[in-house]
Amino acid sequence: MSDNVLSSISYLHQFIRYSEEQNLELNYSHITNTLEKHKGQDFIPFNDFKDFVHDIYSKSSCPWLGLHFAQKIQLSSHGSLGFAVSHGIDLGECLELISRYYQTRLQAIGINIQVNGEDCLLEIKETCTWEPIRELLYEVLLASLLNVIEFVIGKGVEQCTVCFPYKAPAWQDKYVELLPCSVHFDAKTAGVTIPKSLLKITSVTANPRSVELARAQCDEELSRLNQFDSLEQKVVSLVEQAHDYSLSIEEIARNLNMSKSTLARKLKTENTSFSKVMANLRKAQAKNLLLNTQSSIEAIALTLGYDDASNFNRSFKRWFDSSPSQFRLAQTGYLGSTSSHFDSIKTRSWLIRTVCELV
């Protein structure tokens, strides 16, 4: 379930810095490969993030690493969300910002606000599998939330209660030492309970204009994150936008600002290849054109980037175990045009491309 879940790459960079500060001997070739694979991107797969953090934890002699790491995180570490929170009007607005926009930082987490009587619960939910770093991640998250609350309202944080959804570890005394409020373990719900009276405490760094600017940035990041594509999907998008199923791997690679070999290598990491992506696109579009247009078989072949109809026929039979004309007749009852305008269409296409190149 966590295959398509993303994490901000900045969190990975923070853990890299932490591991360097702690002089941990890690597999840095793996780290380099991970960073190269996602070069120029703001997010990485959560699975890659988990692997790296687990490697750090396995090499560390500090079992409460999550608590220790959280002490080093500044509000600025959370990007636009951190900027928004640092200028929130009061604690209530700051919590609302966190709940609304935290997925711009880590999609593996859902944060909900529940008001029950005199208390407000900031509830943490797992949106995918966190193992094998589940306890460490809860330490980082809940300790970081307490740090934010303390930043906004100061000593009022001592009135809060933090709940962890697992049994007390052997180092539970470190939780009491490092966290500024009451700690409960083995809770049914993970999160921070805050007296409702604290929500209206004004932040000393409040700035409504800055919050609005940061909200706009967070909205943009959230939209971009929701549209985050695999490399395969980016190739598909380029072909479909161009309506050109004859695009070569060189042309696609140039559009994506990478070399042909890099594109091929990255597609391989997604268990596919350029030829497979193009074949799937042509297959889907062939079916669409046969069922939803009255274009001739020859014209469809040309549209899909085939030099002649016979090559298209062979591919189509391999895909659907039927010829294009038989498939269309069986599905729609329409035989299609029997006249061939392939050569004239092909000539017009060649002329158009030549003129475009000259221009």
Side-chain angles (χ1 to χ4, degrees):
M1 185 178 176
S2 58
D3 289 349
N4 299 318
V5 175
L6 303 172
S7 168
S8 168
I9 200 166
S10 67
Y11 286 165
L12 179 62
H13 286 301
Q14 289 173 54
F15 270 104
I16 291 174
R17 176 178 294 181
Y18 177 84
S19 67
E20 292 171 344
E21 291 173 351
Q22 302 301 310
N23 297 314
L24 302 179
E25 295 183 5
L26 304 178
N27 182 359
Y28 283 101
S29 62
H30 173 64
I31 298 168
T32 301
N33 290 337
T34 298
L35 293 175
E36 176 62 28
K37 184 168 66 172
H38 303 289
K39 186 177 181 181
Q41 298 178 2
D42 295 327
F43 308 100
I44 62 169
F46 181 57
N47 281 338
D48 287 348
F49 175 78
K50 285 196 300 182
D51 289 345
F52 178 67
V53 174
H54 184 245
D55 188 28
I56 289 181
Y57 187 67
S58 65
K59 302 291 174 55
S60 173
S61 60
C62 177
W64 55 90
L65 185 150
L67 297 174
H68 188 229
F69 177 77
Q71 306 307 310
K72 298 178 176 293
I73 298 178
Q74 305 296 320
L75 264 178
S76 58
S77 302
H78 303 291
S80 298
L81 173 58
F83 183 77
V85 170
S86 68
H87 294 290
I89 301 303
D90 52 32
L91 181 59
E93 181 176 54
C94 292
L95 298 183
E96 181 268 326
L97 288 166
I98 292 170
S99 174
R100 177 167 180 159
Y101 294 117
Y102 198 79
Q103 288 220 334
T104 63
R105 312 304 298 165
L106 192 58
Q107 284 187 316
I109 296 158
I111 301 181
N112 300 320
I113 299 175
Q114 297 182 19
V115 177
N116 300 309
E118 297 303 313
D119 291 324
C120 171
L121 171 63
L122 196 63
E123 179 185 15
I124 306 296
K125 288 191 174 181
E126 304 167 37
T127 64
C128 63
T129 301
W130 289 10
E131 297 295 353
I133 61 167
R134 183 172 181 263
E135 292 186 13
L136 183 151
L137 204 50
Y138 269 117
E139 288 179 350
V140 174
L141 284 168
L142 291 171
S144 297
L145 285 173
L146 290 173
N147 289 342
V148 169
I149 294 171
E150 187 170 21
F151 173 86
V152 177
I153 64 172
K155 288 188 177 181
V157 69
E158 296 172 357
Q159 300 177 47
C160 299
T161 302
V162 60
C163 297
F164 293 87
Y166 47 81
K167 295 186 183 299
W171 54 91
Q172 63 176 306
D173 58 317
K174 287 295 180 179
Y175 285 74
V176 177
E177 175 188 337
L178 297 174
L179 299 179
C181 64
S182 299
V183 179
H184 291 174
F185 291 101
D186 208 15
K188 291 183 179 180
T189 301
V192 180
T193 299
I194 307 154
K196 199 163 64 172
S197 59
L198 301 181
L199 299 182
K200 292 300 181 182
I201 295 180
T202 303
S203 171
V204 295
T205 57
N207 187 319
R209 176 59 179 161
S210 294
V211 172
E212 289 309 306
L213 290 172
R215 275 186 187 273
Q217 183 63 35
C218 287
D219 283 330
E220 182 180 329
E221 291 177 6
L222 196 58
S223 175
R224 184 156 42 90
L225 181 59
N226 290 335
Q227 296 171 5
F228 186 93
D229 296 326
S230 65
L231 185 57
E232 178 182 1
Q233 290 171 320
K234 288 178 181 177
V235 172
V236 169
S237 179
L238 283 173
V239 173
E240 290 182 337
Q241 287 174 16
H243 301 290
D244 188 349
Y245 294 83
S246 65
L247 287 173
S248 66
I249 187 171
E250 290 85 1
E251 290 171 309
I252 293 293
R254 189 161 56 248
N255 271 279
L256 294 172
N257 297 312
M258 62 180 70
S259 67
K260 170 186 172 181
S261 59
T262 298
L263 174 58
R265 187 182 74 252
K266 289 187 174 183
L267 285 172
K268 188 176 181 180
T269 66
E270 296 180 6
N271 299 314
T272 189
S273 66
F274 183 76
S275 60
K276 287 181 181 178
V277 174
M278 294 302 293
N280 289 335
L281 276 167
R282 287 173 179 142
K283 178 181 177 180
Q285 185 64 352
K287 181 178 179 180
N288 173 54
L289 292 174
L290 283 168
L291 298 183
N292 299 305
T293 75
Q294 293 185 357
S295 299
S296 68
I297 304 301
E298 292 84 356
I300 291 174
L302 181 61
T303 298
L304 296 177
Y306 289 92
D307 289 333
D308 57 69
S310 59
N311 283 337
F312 170 58
N313 284 333
R314 282 192 290 272
S315 294
F316 194 90
K317 195 162 187 178
R318 187 172 65 252
W319 296 331
F320 297 100
D321 197 28
S322 170
S323 71
S325 56
Q326 290 170 337
F327 181 86
R328 172 181 265 172
L329 181 62
Q331 298 291 324
T332 68
Y334 175 67
L335 185 60
S337 173
T338 56
S339 61
S340 175
H341 303 292
F342 184 79
D343 289 336
S344 62
I345 294 172
K346 187 175 180 180
T347 300
R348 286 200 302 273
S349 178
W350 176 82
L351 284 171
I352 291 170
R353 284 189 174 220
T354 303
V355 171
C356 288
E357 289 174 0
L358 289 173
V359 173

